[in-house]
Amino acid sequence: SYAKHFDINPKFNECVQSARYDETSGFWRVKTIVTSGSNKIEFEYICRWLVVATGENAERVVPDIQGLAEFGGEVIHACEYKSGEKFQGQKVLVVGCGNSGMEVSLDLCNYNASPSMVVRSSVHVLPREVYGKSTFELVVLMMKWLPLWLVDKLMLVLAWLVLGNVEKYGLKRPSMGPLELKNTKGKTPVLDIGALKKIKSGDINVVPAIKRFSYRQVELVNGEKLDIDSVVLATGYRSNVPSWLQEGEFFGENGYPKAPFPHGWKGNGGLYAVGFTRRGLSGASSDAMRIAQDIGKLWKDETKQHKKITIACHRQWISQF
């Protein structure tokens, strides 16, 4: 209903191959491929403005771990995980302790699997609710009146009161506060929805970093060896902008705008970026409003000057193969 109201017509199942700025015409040229059965049809979009909104989590990160290819059991990324039902009765190694790793481990417990969760680095674990109040709502409310460093300290105190000392269970907290860590490193704190209770009871086994895999077994950095049946890689996601956007000034090699927040939303030649602030929906909202206002202003200014206006975006069929 939203798309219909605003006359938005998304093009689904199209994979962007490349996007480049044509200096001669002053337009962006975006090539896509549509797969229909055994046929592939290539299209090209010619547009005055290009908004890169593929986000911070466009593609999975699969680490290169020694011996993983020789493991022999099922290895999947968390993005492929649907349910713990097929892992019932199995010993499963969950690599990663972020929100995905915690929730996958909890779900595996609920289906009577035996998960071991790899915790390689420090992590902030916060309760989803604090005395009946949403943690997120509480943070937003405090940020209106208090500085970030003080909100961080208050959240850690509240987390300790609600969850207790989590470090004795192998979950070491970072030295930087949860909000500061999110703003500077983009690392989101874990909101506990029940995994911590399973960790305390021993149903989820917390283990240190991996040294190597062998057939149906993993060796940890502390020398311990575990027999396992399957592996779930909760190893996160990353931006994929460098793989398709042919531009080197606005975006860096890591797939993020080079300019820090709040200046990383506008590049040159009609290039924009939304959703790369590492500040969640509030950051994306800030970018989106700035971009919409800027494009609207440019369009109005050109219209007032009675310039010859070319259509904002044109799609043409290139080839079929």
Side-chain angles (χ1 to χ4, degrees):
S1 60
Y2 180 94
K4 184 178 180 181
H5 178 81
F6 291 102
D7 193 27
I8 299 171
N9 300 293
K11 301 293 183 183
F12 294 107
N13 301 313
E14 291 195 29
C15 182
V16 173
Q17 301 298 299
S18 66
R20 66 178 181 87
Y21 184 68
D22 188 334
E23 295 281 355
T24 305
S25 64
F27 285 86
W28 285 91
R29 307 179 77 96
V30 182
K31 291 184 179 180
T32 70
I33 286 181
V34 178
T35 302
S36 179
S38 59
N39 296 325
K40 289 186 177 181
I41 305 171
E42 189 173 293
F43 290 94
E44 183 176 58
Y45 291 88
I46 301 172
C47 46
R48 299 182 57 203
W49 301 295
L50 177 64
V51 181
V52 179
T54 47
E56 303 164 8
N57 303 314
E59 64 181 23
R60 72 190 76 178
V61 172
V62 179
D64 183 16
I65 306 175
Q66 186 179 347
L68 186 58
E70 289 79 49
F71 168 63
E74 183 174 10
V75 180
I76 64 170
H77 192 273
C79 66
E80 301 168 288
Y81 182 91
K82 302 299 181 185
S83 165
E85 186 174 7
K86 71 174 183 177
F87 298 101
Q88 190 169 358
Q90 292 190 21
K91 296 177 181 177
V92 184
L93 186 72
V94 179
V95 184
C97 61
N99 281 288
S100 294
M102 288 279 193
E103 292 180 21
V104 165
S105 297
L106 175 61
D107 191 64
L108 286 166
C109 280
N110 292 337
Y111 280 96
N112 297 316
S114 299
S116 293
M117 184 174 65
V118 176
V119 180
R120 188 181 64 173
S121 56
S122 56
V123 59
H124 278 297
V125 181
L126 303 177
R128 184 171 60 174
E129 293 182 348
V130 178
Y131 302 117
K133 186 77 172 178
S134 162
T135 300
F136 177 76
E137 286 183 57
L138 201 59
V139 167
V140 171
L141 182 64
M142 288 194 290
M143 286 295 291
K144 289 181 179 179
W145 309 103
L146 302 173
L148 184 142
W149 66 268
L150 183 55
V151 176
D152 262 343
K153 287 189 178 296
L154 290 172
M155 289 311 302
L156 290 177
V157 170
L158 290 171
W160 185 83
L161 289 172
V162 177
L163 303 177
N165 180 15
V166 299
E167 293 200 7
K168 63 182 180 181
Y169 300 104
L171 302 172
K172 185 179 178 182
R173 290 195 182 277
S175 56
M176 194 178 291
L179 298 181
E180 185 182 1
L181 192 66
K182 172 64 177 172
N183 287 349
T184 56
K185 306 291 185 181
K187 191 172 181 181
T188 305
V190 172
L191 291 180
D192 178 56
I193 61 169
L196 193 57
K197 183 179 179 181
K198 297 291 186 181
I199 291 172
K200 291 178 179 179
S201 67
D203 292 318
I204 297 176
N205 180 32
V206 174
V207 299
I210 298 166
K211 184 176 182 180
R212 66 170 68 89
F213 280 97
S214 55
Y215 183 73
R216 299 288 176 137
Q217 194 176 72
V218 63
E219 182 181 350
L220 307 173
V221 290
N222 63 359
E224 184 182 1
K225 294 183 179 180
L226 300 176
D227 293 326
I228 51 174
D229 301 302
S230 302
V231 177
V232 179
L233 299 172
T235 45
Y237 305 85
R238 64 185 166 208
S239 166
N240 66 0
V241 174
S243 68
W244 58 270
L245 182 62
Q246 298 173 14
E247 185 273 343
E249 294 182 7
F250 185 43
F251 278 90
E253 293 181 359
N254 64 352
Y256 285 81
K258 294 178 181 179
F261 180 82
H263 307 293
W265 60 276
K266 183 178 181 179
N268 295 322
L271 179 64
Y272 298 92
V274 58
F276 295 90
T277 63
R278 295 189 173 104
R279 282 167 168 76
L281 291 175
S282 62
S285 175
S286 173
D287 287 342
M289 287 188 287
R290 290 171 185 265
I291 292 168
Q293 289 165 1
D294 194 65
I295 293 176
K297 183 178 182 300
L298 290 171
W299 184 261
K300 287 177 182 177
D301 288 346
E302 291 185 7
T303 304
K304 286 178 182 177
Q305 294 171 20
H306 302 290
K307 288 186 177 180
K308 183 180 179 181
I309 304 297
T310 312
I311 56 174
C313 183
H314 173 66
R315 181 181 190 246
Q316 64 178 1
W317 171 71
I318 299 176
S319 62
Q320 184 171 333
F321 54 94

